[in-house]
Amino acid sequence: MDRHQVFDRTLVLQRRLRALKQHGTSADFLLARAADDLEERLSAVERRFDVAVDLASHTDLAAEALRRSGKVSAIIRIEDDARFLTGASTGIVADQEVLPLQAASIDLAVSLLSLHLTNDTPGTLLQIRRALKPDGLFLGAMAGENTLTELRECLIAAESEISGGVSPRVAPFADVRDVGGLLQRAGFTLPVTDIETYTVRYDNLFALMRDLRAMGVQNSLFGRSRKPLTRQFFMRAAEIYAERFSDPDGRIRATFSFIWMSGWAAHESQQKPLKPGSAKASLADFLKDAEKD
């Protein structure tokens, strides 16, 4: 096993396909929210894009948001299995970590809630930036570090109590500052990151886990334990969850955090940072004036 492989991406694909077959789009409410946010963010961009690529969003929700925006002429969806390709967009089957895109061939790239499950996220971002034409835009959302913190805490507590040890059961999610650094490392100009956090309430832990299965996002870590979990483990985890993260009405809270990213491919028309020493007034002079006032 490659030491850089955090996720079993074959298993990730299998579970997403199983979820699609068994549950359809019944649990796509988070993706729908991200698609609405995408449309709103794109509305603030005052330009049109000839060719846009929707990278591994697994449904047509992102493409529909692009169409509603009225700012995109052609949309290409890239998915790692043809069964995800629905709707009116042109589709390509390819691994999102090996993009079949020529350099400087697209104007806009979007990705909703899939980049956090890549093993080479920096490499994928670099490929996206290379595929953009000068002054092309990337907009994406990935799960952030606060996602499912309650579930992680309760699973760790239950397993530690029952077996005396723990194994990874919830994926590690990125910090917003680290994601900003990844955008810069990939060569994007004017990189911006921010966080949107949502709280979803459930009757109990088992209702939350049913939604996660319907989303196809169960534990796909390479380092996961292969030992079957017992009913005792789940019952204790549910008790701990109810004790620590329930509201007065008895329902539990689950946090989902989206890190939004935007960055541009370099172009001469873009704003440039001032060179060191080019300022016309010094900070020391400003502070002296402020003291006088």
PDB file of all heavy atoms in Angstrom, residues 3-33:
ATOM      1  N   ARG A   3       2.028   4.687   1.043  1.00  0.00           N
ATOM      2  CA  ARG A   3       1.859   5.338   2.340  1.00  0.00           C
ATOM      3  C   ARG A   3       1.047   6.624   2.234  1.00  0.00           C
ATOM      4  O   ARG A   3       0.561   7.135   3.241  1.00  0.00           O
ATOM      5  CB  ARG A   3       3.227   5.635   2.951  1.00  0.00           C
ATOM      6  CG  ARG A   3       4.053   6.662   2.183  1.00  0.00           C
ATOM      7  CD  ARG A   3       5.439   6.814   2.778  1.00  0.00           C
ATOM      8  NE  ARG A   3       6.262   7.748   2.044  1.00  0.00           N
ATOM      9  CZ  ARG A   3       6.304   9.051   2.291  1.00  0.00           C
ATOM     10  NH1 ARG A   3       5.547   9.568   3.235  1.00  0.00           N
ATOM     11  NH2 ARG A   3       7.079   9.854   1.591  1.00  0.00           N
ATOM     12  N   HIS A   4       0.891   7.153   1.014  1.00  0.00           N
ATOM     13  CA  HIS A   4       0.125   8.381   0.853  1.00  0.00           C
ATOM     14  C   HIS A   4      -1.372   8.105   0.665  1.00  0.00           C
ATOM     15  O   HIS A   4      -2.157   9.039   0.592  1.00  0.00           O
ATOM     16  CB  HIS A   4       0.652   9.181  -0.345  1.00  0.00           C
ATOM     17  CG  HIS A   4       2.067   9.680  -0.158  1.00  0.00           C
ATOM     18  ND1 HIS A   4       2.405  10.583   0.818  1.00  0.00           N
ATOM     19  CD2 HIS A   4       3.211   9.378  -0.812  1.00  0.00           C
ATOM     20  CE1 HIS A   4       3.712  10.837   0.757  1.00  0.00           C
ATOM     21  NE2 HIS A   4       4.213  10.106  -0.221  1.00  0.00           N
ATOM     22  N   GLN A   5      -1.761   6.853   0.541  1.00  0.00           N
ATOM     23  CA  GLN A   5      -3.159   6.527   0.325  1.00  0.00           C
ATOM     24  C   GLN A   5      -3.908   6.494   1.655  1.00  0.00           C
ATOM     25  O   GLN A   5      -3.717   5.593   2.461  1.00  0.00           O
ATOM     26  CB  GLN A   5      -3.288   5.194  -0.409  1.00  0.00           C
ATOM     27  CG  GLN A   5      -2.854   5.269  -1.871  1.00  0.00           C
ATOM     28  CD  GLN A   5      -3.158   3.983  -2.612  1.00  0.00           C
ATOM     29  OE1 GLN A   5      -2.922   2.901  -2.104  1.00  0.00           O
ATOM     30  NE2 GLN A   5      -3.680   4.103  -3.812  1.00  0.00           N
ATOM     31  N   VAL A   6      -4.758   7.467   1.841  1.00  0.00           N
ATOM     32  CA  VAL A   6      -5.584   7.543   3.039  1.00  0.00           C
ATOM     33  C   VAL A   6      -6.904   6.815   2.812  1.00  0.00           C
ATOM     34  O   VAL A   6      -7.407   6.121   3.691  1.00  0.00           O
ATOM     35  CB  VAL A   6      -5.847   9.008   3.424  1.00  0.00           C
ATOM     36  CG1 VAL A   6      -6.773   9.109   4.636  1.00  0.00           C
ATOM     37  CG2 VAL A   6      -4.524   9.727   3.697  1.00  0.00           C
ATOM     38  N   PHE A   7      -7.451   6.954   1.599  1.00  0.00           N
ATOM     39  CA  PHE A   7      -8.753   6.384   1.282  1.00  0.00           C
ATOM     40  C   PHE A   7      -8.622   5.216   0.310  1.00  0.00           C
ATOM     41  O   PHE A   7      -7.802   5.247  -0.621  1.00  0.00           O
ATOM     42  CB  PHE A   7      -9.672   7.447   0.664  1.00  0.00           C
ATOM     43  CG  PHE A   7      -9.904   8.630   1.558  1.00  0.00           C
ATOM     44  CD1 PHE A   7      -9.207   9.809   1.359  1.00  0.00           C
ATOM     45  CD2 PHE A   7     -10.800   8.556   2.604  1.00  0.00           C
ATOM     46  CE1 PHE A   7      -9.421  10.905   2.181  1.00  0.00           C
ATOM     47  CE2 PHE A   7     -11.017   9.647   3.433  1.00  0.00           C
ATOM     48  CZ  PHE A   7     -10.326  10.816   3.225  1.00  0.00           C
ATOM     49  N   ASP A   8      -9.442   4.202   0.517  1.00  0.00           N
ATOM     50  CA  ASP A   8      -9.586   3.104  -0.432  1.00  0.00           C
ATOM     51  C   ASP A   8     -10.593   3.581  -1.477  1.00  0.00           C
ATOM     52  O   ASP A   8     -11.803   3.449  -1.313  1.00  0.00           O
ATOM     53  CB  ASP A   8     -10.095   1.860   0.296  1.00  0.00           C
ATOM     54  CG  ASP A   8     -10.211   0.654  -0.627  1.00  0.00           C
ATOM     55  OD1 ASP A   8     -10.245   0.842  -1.864  1.00  0.00           O
ATOM     56  OD2 ASP A   8     -10.293  -0.473  -0.104  1.00  0.00           O
ATOM     57  N   ARG A   9     -10.081   4.152  -2.558  1.00  0.00           N
ATOM     58  CA  ARG A   9     -10.965   4.811  -3.520  1.00  0.00           C
ATOM     59  C   ARG A   9     -11.831   3.819  -4.294  1.00  0.00           C
ATOM     60  O   ARG A   9     -12.914   4.175  -4.762  1.00  0.00           O
ATOM     61  CB  ARG A   9     -10.147   5.694  -4.462  1.00  0.00           C
ATOM     62  CG  ARG A   9      -9.675   6.963  -3.733  1.00  0.00           C
ATOM     63  CD  ARG A   9      -8.967   7.942  -4.638  1.00  0.00           C
ATOM     64  NE  ARG A   9      -9.667   8.254  -5.857  1.00  0.00           N
ATOM     65  CZ  ARG A   9     -10.724   9.071  -5.936  1.00  0.00           C
ATOM     66  NH1 ARG A   9     -11.195   9.656  -4.839  1.00  0.00           N
ATOM     67  NH2 ARG A   9     -11.294   9.307  -7.103  1.00  0.00           N
ATOM     68  N   THR A  10     -11.393   2.579  -4.402  1.00  0.00           N
ATOM     69  CA  THR A  10     -12.251   1.557  -4.988  1.00  0.00           C
ATOM     70  C   THR A  10     -13.477   1.339  -4.113  1.00  0.00           C
ATOM     71  O   THR A  10     -14.609   1.235  -4.601  1.00  0.00           O
ATOM     72  CB  THR A  10     -11.483   0.236  -5.153  1.00  0.00           C
ATOM     73  OG1 THR A  10     -10.370   0.445  -6.035  1.00  0.00           O
ATOM     74  CG2 THR A  10     -12.379  -0.854  -5.737  1.00  0.00           C
ATOM     75  N   LEU A  11     -13.251   1.306  -2.808  1.00  0.00           N
ATOM     76  CA  LEU A  11     -14.356   1.143  -1.868  1.00  0.00           C
ATOM     77  C   LEU A  11     -15.252   2.376  -1.852  1.00  0.00           C
ATOM     78  O   LEU A  11     -16.482   2.263  -1.747  1.00  0.00           O
ATOM     79  CB  LEU A  11     -13.815   0.859  -0.472  1.00  0.00           C
ATOM     80  CG  LEU A  11     -14.850   0.564   0.626  1.00  0.00           C
ATOM     81  CD1 LEU A  11     -15.697  -0.651   0.254  1.00  0.00           C
ATOM     82  CD2 LEU A  11     -14.152   0.347   1.970  1.00  0.00           C
ATOM     83  N   VAL A  12     -14.656   3.564  -1.946  1.00  0.00           N
ATOM     84  CA  VAL A  12     -15.445   4.802  -2.022  1.00  0.00           C
ATOM     85  C   VAL A  12     -16.426   4.714  -3.192  1.00  0.00           C
ATOM     86  O   VAL A  12     -17.625   5.001  -3.048  1.00  0.00           O
ATOM     87  CB  VAL A  12     -14.529   6.033  -2.182  1.00  0.00           C
ATOM     88  CG1 VAL A  12     -15.362   7.283  -2.503  1.00  0.00           C
ATOM     89  CG2 VAL A  12     -13.717   6.265  -0.920  1.00  0.00           C
ATOM     90  N   LEU A  13     -15.930   4.290  -4.360  1.00  0.00           N
ATOM     91  CA  LEU A  13     -16.780   4.189  -5.549  1.00  0.00           C
ATOM     92  C   LEU A  13     -17.858   3.124  -5.358  1.00  0.00           C
ATOM     93  O   LEU A  13     -19.024   3.347  -5.690  1.00  0.00           O
ATOM     94  CB  LEU A  13     -15.923   3.863  -6.770  1.00  0.00           C
ATOM     95  CG  LEU A  13     -16.680   3.632  -8.085  1.00  0.00           C
ATOM     96  CD1 LEU A  13     -17.534   4.848  -8.443  1.00  0.00           C
ATOM     97  CD2 LEU A  13     -15.705   3.298  -9.209  1.00  0.00           C
ATOM     98  N   GLN A  14     -17.477   1.970  -4.818  1.00  0.00           N
ATOM     99  CA  GLN A  14     -18.453   0.902  -4.602  1.00  0.00           C
ATOM    100  C   GLN A  14     -19.589   1.360  -3.704  1.00  0.00           C
ATOM    101  O   GLN A  14     -20.768   1.072  -3.967  1.00  0.00           O
ATOM    102  CB  GLN A  14     -17.752  -0.316  -3.996  1.00  0.00           C
ATOM    103  CG  GLN A  14     -16.815  -1.049  -4.950  1.00  0.00           C
ATOM    104  CD  GLN A  14     -16.036  -2.142  -4.248  1.00  0.00           C
ATOM    105  OE1 GLN A  14     -16.036  -2.258  -3.022  1.00  0.00           O
ATOM    106  NE2 GLN A  14     -15.331  -2.966  -5.037  1.00  0.00           N
ATOM    107  N   ARG A  15     -19.259   2.068  -2.648  1.00  0.00           N
ATOM    108  CA  ARG A  15     -20.288   2.493  -1.703  1.00  0.00           C
ATOM    109  C   ARG A  15     -21.176   3.585  -2.284  1.00  0.00           C
ATOM    110  O   ARG A  15     -22.374   3.625  -2.006  1.00  0.00           O
ATOM    111  CB  ARG A  15     -19.635   2.929  -0.395  1.00  0.00           C
ATOM    112  CG  ARG A  15     -19.118   1.715   0.378  1.00  0.00           C
ATOM    113  CD  ARG A  15     -18.468   2.061   1.679  1.00  0.00           C
ATOM    114  NE  ARG A  15     -18.296   0.847   2.490  1.00  0.00           N
ATOM    115  CZ  ARG A  15     -17.534   0.772   3.575  1.00  0.00           C
ATOM    116  NH1 ARG A  15     -16.878   1.851   3.991  1.00  0.00           N
ATOM    117  NH2 ARG A  15     -17.439  -0.352   4.245  1.00  0.00           N
ATOM    118  N   ARG A  16     -20.606   4.458  -3.080  1.00  0.00           N
ATOM    119  CA  ARG A  16     -21.436   5.489  -3.717  1.00  0.00           C
ATOM    120  C   ARG A  16     -22.390   4.848  -4.728  1.00  0.00           C
ATOM    121  O   ARG A  16     -23.558   5.250  -4.833  1.00  0.00           O
ATOM    122  CB  ARG A  16     -20.549   6.528  -4.396  1.00  0.00           C
ATOM    123  CG  ARG A  16     -19.872   7.499  -3.416  1.00  0.00           C
ATOM    124  CD  ARG A  16     -19.328   8.682  -4.169  1.00  0.00           C
ATOM    125  NE  ARG A  16     -18.658   9.654  -3.332  1.00  0.00           N
ATOM    126  CZ  ARG A  16     -19.247  10.623  -2.657  1.00  0.00           C
ATOM    127  NH1 ARG A  16     -20.561  10.730  -2.678  1.00  0.00           N
ATOM    128  NH2 ARG A  16     -18.547  11.484  -1.945  1.00  0.00           N
ATOM    129  N   LEU A  17     -21.902   3.869  -5.474  1.00  0.00           N
ATOM    130  CA  LEU A  17     -22.759   3.195  -6.452  1.00  0.00           C
ATOM    131  C   LEU A  17     -23.859   2.394  -5.757  1.00  0.00           C
ATOM    132  O   LEU A  17     -25.009   2.365  -6.213  1.00  0.00           O
ATOM    133  CB  LEU A  17     -21.920   2.282  -7.348  1.00  0.00           C
ATOM    134  CG  LEU A  17     -21.040   2.992  -8.375  1.00  0.00           C
ATOM    135  CD1 LEU A  17     -20.114   2.003  -9.067  1.00  0.00           C
ATOM    136  CD2 LEU A  17     -21.893   3.734  -9.408  1.00  0.00           C
ATOM    137  N   ARG A  18     -23.524   1.739  -4.645  1.00  0.00           N
ATOM    138  CA  ARG A  18     -24.536   1.005  -3.901  1.00  0.00           C
ATOM    139  C   ARG A  18     -25.604   1.960  -3.360  1.00  0.00           C
ATOM    140  O   ARG A  18     -26.800   1.662  -3.407  1.00  0.00           O
ATOM    141  CB  ARG A  18     -23.894   0.236  -2.754  1.00  0.00           C
ATOM    142  CG  ARG A  18     -24.890  -0.659  -1.995  1.00  0.00           C
ATOM    143  CD  ARG A  18     -24.236  -1.318  -0.797  1.00  0.00           C
ATOM    144  NE  ARG A  18     -23.068  -2.075  -1.198  1.00  0.00           N
ATOM    145  CZ  ARG A  18     -21.870  -1.964  -0.625  1.00  0.00           C
ATOM    146  NH1 ARG A  18     -21.681  -1.105   0.371  1.00  0.00           N
ATOM    147  NH2 ARG A  18     -20.866  -2.700  -1.040  1.00  0.00           N
ATOM    148  N   ALA A  19     -25.155   3.108  -2.863  1.00  0.00           N
ATOM    149  CA  ALA A  19     -26.104   4.102  -2.357  1.00  0.00           C
ATOM    150  C   ALA A  19     -27.007   4.605  -3.478  1.00  0.00           C
ATOM    151  O   ALA A  19     -28.217   4.794  -3.285  1.00  0.00           O
ATOM    152  CB  ALA A  19     -25.356   5.260  -1.707  1.00  0.00           C
ATOM    153  N   LEU A  20     -26.436   4.831  -4.665  1.00  0.00           N
ATOM    154  CA  LEU A  20     -27.225   5.302  -5.806  1.00  0.00           C
ATOM    155  C   LEU A  20     -28.275   4.267  -6.182  1.00  0.00           C
ATOM    156  O   LEU A  20     -29.439   4.603  -6.446  1.00  0.00           O
ATOM    157  CB  LEU A  20     -26.298   5.573  -6.995  1.00  0.00           C
ATOM    158  CG  LEU A  20     -26.981   6.020  -8.292  1.00  0.00           C
ATOM    159  CD1 LEU A  20     -27.630   7.390  -8.109  1.00  0.00           C
ATOM    160  CD2 LEU A  20     -25.968   6.050  -9.443  1.00  0.00           C
ATOM    161  N   LYS A  21     -27.890   2.994  -6.184  1.00  0.00           N
ATOM    162  CA  LYS A  21     -28.810   1.927  -6.566  1.00  0.00           C
ATOM    163  C   LYS A  21     -29.913   1.735  -5.534  1.00  0.00           C
ATOM    164  O   LYS A  21     -31.086   1.553  -5.881  1.00  0.00           O
ATOM    165  CB  LYS A  21     -28.035   0.618  -6.753  1.00  0.00           C
ATOM    166  CG  LYS A  21     -28.893  -0.568  -7.167  1.00  0.00           C
ATOM    167  CD  LYS A  21     -28.055  -1.811  -7.364  1.00  0.00           C
ATOM    168  CE  LYS A  21     -28.921  -3.005  -7.773  1.00  0.00           C
ATOM    169  NZ  LYS A  21     -28.097  -4.236  -7.966  1.00  0.00           N
ATOM    170  N   GLN A  22     -29.568   1.782  -4.254  1.00  0.00           N
ATOM    171  CA  GLN A  22     -30.528   1.464  -3.199  1.00  0.00           C
ATOM    172  C   GLN A  22     -31.353   2.658  -2.743  1.00  0.00           C
ATOM    173  O   GLN A  22     -32.498   2.498  -2.329  1.00  0.00           O
ATOM    174  CB  GLN A  22     -29.784   0.865  -2.000  1.00  0.00           C
ATOM    175  CG  GLN A  22     -29.124  -0.468  -2.296  1.00  0.00           C
ATOM    176  CD  GLN A  22     -28.376  -1.027  -1.086  1.00  0.00           C
ATOM    177  OE1 GLN A  22     -28.215  -0.348  -0.068  1.00  0.00           O
ATOM    178  NE2 GLN A  22     -27.904  -2.264  -1.196  1.00  0.00           N
ATOM    179  N   HIS A  23     -30.754   3.856  -2.807  1.00  0.00           N
ATOM    180  CA  HIS A  23     -31.424   5.025  -2.227  1.00  0.00           C
ATOM    181  C   HIS A  23     -31.653   6.163  -3.218  1.00  0.00           C
ATOM    182  O   HIS A  23     -32.325   7.144  -2.869  1.00  0.00           O
ATOM    183  CB  HIS A  23     -30.607   5.552  -1.039  1.00  0.00           C
ATOM    184  CG  HIS A  23     -30.343   4.527   0.017  1.00  0.00           C
ATOM    185  ND1 HIS A  23     -31.288   4.173   0.956  1.00  0.00           N
ATOM    186  CD2 HIS A  23     -29.244   3.758   0.274  1.00  0.00           C
ATOM    187  CE1 HIS A  23     -30.776   3.248   1.758  1.00  0.00           C
ATOM    188  NE2 HIS A  23     -29.544   2.985   1.370  1.00  0.00           N
ATOM    189  N   GLY A  24     -31.091   6.065  -4.417  1.00  0.00           N
ATOM    190  CA  GLY A  24     -31.262   7.139  -5.384  1.00  0.00           C
ATOM    191  C   GLY A  24     -30.711   8.457  -4.856  1.00  0.00           C
ATOM    192  O   GLY A  24     -29.585   8.521  -4.373  1.00  0.00           O
ATOM    193  N   THR A  25     -31.514   9.492  -4.943  1.00  0.00           N
ATOM    194  CA  THR A  25     -31.093  10.825  -4.487  1.00  0.00           C
ATOM    195  C   THR A  25     -31.790  11.237  -3.196  1.00  0.00           C
ATOM    196  O   THR A  25     -31.887  12.419  -2.883  1.00  0.00           O
ATOM    197  CB  THR A  25     -31.368  11.866  -5.579  1.00  0.00           C
ATOM    198  OG1 THR A  25     -32.776  11.865  -5.872  1.00  0.00           O
ATOM    199  CG2 THR A  25     -30.593  11.557  -6.853  1.00  0.00           C
ATOM    200  N   SER A  26     -32.262  10.252  -2.421  1.00  0.00           N
ATOM    201  CA  SER A  26     -33.058  10.550  -1.226  1.00  0.00           C
ATOM    202  C   SER A  26     -32.271  11.284  -0.147  1.00  0.00           C
ATOM    203  O   SER A  26     -32.864  11.937   0.713  1.00  0.00           O
ATOM    204  CB  SER A  26     -33.631   9.254  -0.643  1.00  0.00           C
ATOM    205  OG  SER A  26     -32.588   8.380  -0.223  1.00  0.00           O
ATOM    206  N   ALA A  27     -30.946  11.161  -0.148  1.00  0.00           N
ATOM    207  CA  ALA A  27     -30.136  11.805   0.893  1.00  0.00           C
ATOM    208  C   ALA A  27     -29.196  12.857   0.318  1.00  0.00           C
ATOM    209  O   ALA A  27     -28.110  13.102   0.852  1.00  0.00           O
ATOM    210  CB  ALA A  27     -29.334  10.746   1.658  1.00  0.00           C
ATOM    211  N   ASP A  28     -29.623  13.513  -0.747  1.00  0.00           N
ATOM    212  CA  ASP A  28     -28.762  14.507  -1.408  1.00  0.00           C
ATOM    213  C   ASP A  28     -28.983  15.925  -0.892  1.00  0.00           C
ATOM    214  O   ASP A  28     -28.653  16.892  -1.567  1.00  0.00           O
ATOM    215  CB  ASP A  28     -28.994  14.488  -2.923  1.00  0.00           C
ATOM    216  CG  ASP A  28     -28.288  13.337  -3.605  1.00  0.00           C
ATOM    217  OD1 ASP A  28     -27.443  12.698  -2.948  1.00  0.00           O
ATOM    218  OD2 ASP A  28     -28.580  13.061  -4.781  1.00  0.00           O
ATOM    219  N   PHE A  29     -29.537  16.065   0.325  1.00  0.00           N
ATOM    220  CA  PHE A  29     -29.863  17.410   0.803  1.00  0.00           C
ATOM    221  C   PHE A  29     -28.623  18.267   1.025  1.00  0.00           C
ATOM    222  O   PHE A  29     -28.659  19.484   0.822  1.00  0.00           O
ATOM    223  CB  PHE A  29     -30.706  17.330   2.085  1.00  0.00           C
ATOM    224  CG  PHE A  29     -30.053  16.617   3.231  1.00  0.00           C
ATOM    225  CD1 PHE A  29     -29.310  17.304   4.171  1.00  0.00           C
ATOM    226  CD2 PHE A  29     -30.192  15.238   3.369  1.00  0.00           C
ATOM    227  CE1 PHE A  29     -28.704  16.652   5.233  1.00  0.00           C
ATOM    228  CE2 PHE A  29     -29.601  14.571   4.434  1.00  0.00           C
ATOM    229  CZ  PHE A  29     -28.847  15.273   5.372  1.00  0.00           C
ATOM    230  N   LEU A  30     -27.505  17.673   1.440  1.00  0.00           N
ATOM    231  CA  LEU A  30     -26.275  18.456   1.613  1.00  0.00           C
ATOM    232  C   LEU A  30     -25.729  18.900   0.261  1.00  0.00           C
ATOM    233  O   LEU A  30     -25.293  20.048   0.097  1.00  0.00           O
ATOM    234  CB  LEU A  30     -25.231  17.644   2.364  1.00  0.00           C
ATOM    235  CG  LEU A  30     -25.504  17.374   3.839  1.00  0.00           C
ATOM    236  CD1 LEU A  30     -24.441  16.451   4.421  1.00  0.00           C
ATOM    237  CD2 LEU A  30     -25.547  18.676   4.638  1.00  0.00           C
ATOM    238  N   LEU A  31     -25.754  18.002  -0.704  1.00  0.00           N
ATOM    239  CA  LEU A  31     -25.288  18.347  -2.042  1.00  0.00           C
ATOM    240  C   LEU A  31     -26.193  19.402  -2.671  1.00  0.00           C
ATOM    241  O   LEU A  31     -25.711  20.318  -3.360  1.00  0.00           O
ATOM    242  CB  LEU A  31     -25.239  17.092  -2.907  1.00  0.00           C
ATOM    243  CG  LEU A  31     -24.562  17.211  -4.272  1.00  0.00           C
ATOM    244  CD1 LEU A  31     -23.130  17.727  -4.126  1.00  0.00           C
ATOM    245  CD2 LEU A  31     -24.559  15.857  -4.976  1.00  0.00           C
ATOM    246  N   ALA A  32     -27.493  19.303  -2.413  1.00  0.00           N
ATOM    247  CA  ALA A  32     -28.424  20.311  -2.928  1.00  0.00           C
ATOM    248  C   ALA A  32     -28.129  21.675  -2.322  1.00  0.00           C
ATOM    249  O   ALA A  32     -28.183  22.710  -3.011  1.00  0.00           O
ATOM    250  CB  ALA A  32     -29.863  19.891  -2.642  1.00  0.00           C
ATOM    251  N   ARG A  33     -27.803  21.685  -1.031  1.00  0.00           N
ATOM    252  CA  ARG A  33     -27.459  22.961  -0.376  1.00  0.00           C
ATOM    253  C   ARG A  33     -26.173  23.538  -0.973  1.00  0.00           C
ATOM    254  O   ARG A  33     -26.075  24.744  -1.227  1.00  0.00           O
ATOM    255  CB  ARG A  33     -27.294  22.737   1.129  1.00  0.00           C
ATOM    256  CG  ARG A  33     -26.947  24.011   1.916  1.00  0.00           C
ATOM    257  CD  ARG A  33     -28.019  25.077   1.724  1.00  0.00           C
ATOM    258  NE  ARG A  33     -27.691  26.320   2.374  1.00  0.00           N
ATOM    259  CZ  ARG A  33     -28.120  26.675   3.592  1.00  0.00           C
ATOM    260  NH1 ARG A  33     -28.880  25.845   4.292  1.00  0.00           N
ATOM    261  NH2 ARG A  33     -27.806  27.831   4.106  1.00  0.00           N
TER     262      ARG A  33
END
